[in-house]
Amino acid sequence: MDEFYRETWIEVQLDAISSNVKNMYNHLPNDTDLMVAVKANGYGHGAYETATIALESGATALATALLDEAIYLRKQGITAPILVLGYVPPNYAQIAADYNISLTVFQKEWVDTAKTVLTSSLPVHIKCDTGMGRLGVRTVRELEELLNSVKRNEFFHLEGIFTHFAAADEQNSSYYLQQLRKFQSFLEIVKEKPRWIHASNSAASLRFADGLFDLVRSGISTYGLTPSIDIVSELPFPLQPALSLHTRLTHVKKVAKGAKISYGGTYTAKEDEWIGTIPIGYADGWLRLLQGQSVLIDGIRVPIVGRICMDQCMIKLPQKYPVGSLVTLIGNQGEEHITVNEIAEKLGTINYEVICILSHRLPRVYKKGKKIVQIKNELFR
Ligand SMILES: Cc1ncc(COP(=O)(O)O)c(C=O)c1O
């Protein structure tokens, strides 16, 4: 177990991830497999740790955005199928093949170049762009050409065909349906069905039965967060947030009425006030826009006052608290709760972004129930 010597840490409740994965698995038909997206360091939760508990809880496969992320998992000993969802330069095709990592293909030119470097079998998934406008073939004709190129080389093994929904998390499902129909029209020309046809992300998997096919790719719901606020009332099972963020008071003082706090002196004490310092700042992913956001101490909400610095910020206390007192930035204290969605709203963004930007400087403490099972400090790796 890694050590850490600072007073700020992320807690990841592995039981929550396990329960989210089990609930998703049980929600799916028997013949639909579950692929868990662990890109971006498992949405900030730790890619290896998430992958391990997800595979134990019903997931069959994993997805990353980058070949590097997939190789990292292989180097940690993960043997389950891994699909890289993003673009990998074709000259790295053999590296993927060596690690038995599946790549996403959508360009005939890519196939032509990859062919020249491949000396062993590479599993590939063809990506269809049905309306996301990001990656993928956009016409049936392009798909046909690509299928033929892939088929012509013995080293390509067509493992999957997929698409990605752009608006499955919106109340109005018309764009979802439009994409689904387009994907179905693409599939009509596929004569030899690969192992996995797949389309649905968390939102689509949770809401729609008609897009499940052979496999779903679930990211955000694995971590216990809703794909969007719009669909909270439609969730078929409760999602359990796995991540919480904590720190401790490092300094406490009474300042006189009129005293200024932090860079630029944007906060002035309205009376004699207790001010606490906490060791988290924008370099940890706790952005300056969070000035004014509440944190929890002693089960109550108190505000961040003054500008957030790179490594620290200040909070206004209702009374003196001892140095070392627990402060929760995301999570529960007593009856009070600060959600990732609350932070996202304050930042004018989505929950996905909040958890992805929590930086590598924050040690991750993994728990099963109350027991700490693993501590990871990226600074020592
Ligand atoms: C291609 C693809 N599939 C699946 C996912 C997982 O999506 P979600 O986290 O909304 O479940 C993503 C995430 O962005 C993605 O890019």
Side-chain angles (χ1 to χ4, degrees):
M1 261 197 229
D2 293 349
E3 299 294 331
F4 65 94
Y5 306 103
R6 66 177 297 190
E7 294 282 53
T8 306
W9 69 98
I10 284 174
E11 242 171 65
V12 177
Q13 182 52 256
L14 293 172
D15 289 343
I17 297 182
S18 176
S19 142
N20 297 325
V21 172
K22 282 181 184 157
N23 279 330
M24 181 63 95
Y25 180 81
N26 292 331
H27 169 74
L28 298 172
N30 283 342
D31 53 358
T32 301
D33 289 333
L34 176 56
M35 172 182 272
V36 164
V38 294
K39 60 201 173 107
N41 192 27
Y43 292 41
H45 294 65
Y48 172 69
E49 292 73 14
T50 302
T52 306
I53 194 80
L55 291 167
E56 278 170 27
S57 308
T60 299
L62 303 167
T64 64
L66 313 175
L67 178 57
D68 304 55
E69 291 176 326
I71 292 174
Y72 162 76
L73 292 171
R74 284 281 182 262
K75 286 187 170 173
Q76 297 296 306
I78 301 272
T79 55
I82 305 176
L83 170 63
V84 179
L85 299 167
Y87 173 84
V88 175
N91 42 325
Y92 301 141
Q94 185 55 41
I95 298 180
D98 289 342
Y99 282 103
N100 192 25
I101 289 167
S102 311
L103 297 186
T104 294
V105 303
F106 44 90
Q107 294 156 342
K108 191 177 164 304
E109 303 72 26
W110 189 97
V111 172
D112 292 341
T113 311
K115 256 194 305 221
T116 65
V117 299
L118 278 175
T119 55
S120 61
S121 181
L122 173 73
V124 295
H125 292 225
I126 291 185
K127 177 99 190 255
C128 304
D129 181 2
T130 55
M132 177 71 184
R134 192 167 61 178
L135 301 177
V137 294
R138 290 175 67 85
T139 63
V140 167
R141 201 187 139 91
E142 260 185 282
L143 174 61
E144 205 158 27
E145 265 183 19
L146 196 57
L147 277 169
N148 288 336
S149 308
V150 164
K151 242 185 272 167
R152 274 199 296 270
N153 189 286
E154 55 174 330
F155 292 137
F156 291 112
H157 160 59
L158 184 67
E159 186 179 54
I161 297 185
F162 74 112
T163 193
H164 187 52
F165 294 119
D169 61 345
E170 286 173 14
Q171 285 231 310
N172 182 339
S173 50
S174 58
Y175 200 69
Y176 161 81
L177 284 171
Q178 193 180 313
Q179 283 195 263
L180 181 64
R181 278 188 215 108
K182 185 153 186 197
F183 189 47
Q184 282 161 339
S185 73
F186 277 133
L187 294 177
E188 274 169 27
I189 65 145
V190 180
K191 300 282 174 314
E192 290 160 48
K193 202 179 127 343
R195 177 177 180 192
W196 283 314
I197 288 178
H198 50 115
S200 290
N201 54 4
S202 295
S205 311
L206 292 164
R207 298 176 73 202
F208 306 117
D210 49 4
L212 299 177
F213 298 101
D214 307 307
L215 172 134
V216 302
R217 306 181 307 273
S218 149
I220 198 77
S221 62
T222 302
Y223 306 98
L225 300 177
T226 180
S228 77
I229 305 289
D230 283 11
I231 64 161
V232 170
S233 62
E234 291 179 46
L235 296 175
F237 53 83
L239 295 170
Q240 293 185 30
L243 181 145
S244 58
L245 175 62
H246 309 273
T247 188
R248 293 186 186 280
L249 285 177
T250 51
H251 191 52
V252 179
K253 61 197 175 261
K254 192 170 211 175
V255 302
K257 179 179 177 181
K260 304 263 188 210
I261 300 294
S262 196
Y263 289 119
T266 59
Y267 179 78
T268 307
K270 291 166 209 61
E271 55 196 344
D272 292 357
E273 290 177 5
W274 285 103
I275 298 289
T277 302
I278 51 174
I280 183 166
Y282 59 78
D284 299 302
W286 203 248
L287 303 184
R288 288 168 93 242
L289 281 174
L290 290 168
Q291 182 170 339
Q293 168 62 36
S294 303
V295 300
L296 305 178
I297 184 165
D298 200 19
I300 56 167
R301 284 176 175 257
V302 302
I304 295 174
V305 291
R307 286 198 182 135
I308 293 175
C309 311
M310 188 184 289
D311 319 296
Q312 307 178 71
C313 59
M314 274 59 82
I315 57 179
K316 181 179 172 208
L317 302 170
Q319 63 187 71
K320 184 176 183 181
Y321 283 106
V323 165
S325 300
L326 181 70
V327 175
T328 297
L329 300 109
I330 296 173
N332 294 319
Q333 271 197 15
E335 300 292 296
E336 274 292 352
H337 191 69
I338 296 176
T339 62
V340 175
N341 285 336
E342 177 181 333
I343 305 301
E345 200 183 331
K346 175 88 182 161
L347 289 172
T349 184
I350 51 172
N351 52 19
Y352 293 70
E353 195 172 33
V354 174
I355 50 179
C356 283
I357 62 173
L358 294 174
S359 89
H360 71 290
R361 269 196 352 179
L362 294 168
R364 269 70 172 167
V365 175
Y366 294 93
K367 283 186 160 178
K368 283 190 176 167
K370 289 198 160 38
K371 192 167 178 272
I372 295 176
V373 292
Q374 168 82 24
I375 296 174
K376 199 161 174 188
N377 184 353
E378 289 291 344
L379 291 177
F380 295 159
R381 283 167 186 254

